[in-house]
Amino acid sequence: MPIFVGLEKGHPVEKKQRPESRAKGAKTAKMANCRAVVREVAGLLPYEKRLLDMLKTGGASAEKRMYKFAKKRVWFLSAWVKSRTV
């Protein structure tokens, strides 16, 4: 019999379990290849182009300015650290 109020209210159901082979958002070889092709065709993102431009114009504190700019644009540092190697 369902409970009408509280945290456990409503009809009791079990949560569906997703099979391990089909994890949503998992990086597969096919998707990695697809993303690489798109990246090659589309080129760099606008903020990446600007970072390269900052590097070319240079100056004494170019790296520090690039670091600050990238942190503002990317929001999470781990993604930027990955793109640093590009």
Side-chain angles (χ1 to χ4, degrees), residues 16-33:
K16 248 186 184 177
Q17 290 295 341
R18 201 181 287 261
E20 287 295 319
S21 62
R22 163 77 180 79
K24 187 176 180 183
K27 191 172 186 180
T28 61
K30 182 179 176 182
M31 279 309 298
N33 190 26

Side-chain angles (χ1 to χ4, degrees), residues 2-75:
I3 300 171
F4 294 109
V5 291
L7 292 175
E8 301 291 324
K9 70 181 178 187
H11 183 74
V13 293
E14 287 183 25
K15 206 168 190 180
K16 248 186 184 177
Q17 290 295 341
R18 201 181 287 261
E20 287 295 319
S21 62
R22 163 77 180 79
K24 187 176 180 183
K27 191 172 186 180
T28 61
K30 182 179 176 182
M31 279 309 298
N33 190 26
C34 179
R35 286 187 181 132
V37 169
V38 168
R39 176 83 175 189
E40 190 177 324
V41 171
L44 297 173
L45 296 171
Y47 83 92
E48 291 172 338
K49 288 178 187 172
R50 189 159 169 203
L51 285 171
L52 288 175
D53 188 46
M54 280 182 186
L55 185 64
K56 284 176 192 170
T57 56
S61 60
E63 278 194 40
K64 187 174 180 180
R65 275 188 294 119
M66 288 172 58
Y67 184 75
K68 282 181 163 183
F69 177 77
K71 271 181 29 178
K72 277 185 189 172
R73 292 301 157 107
V74 178
W75 295 345

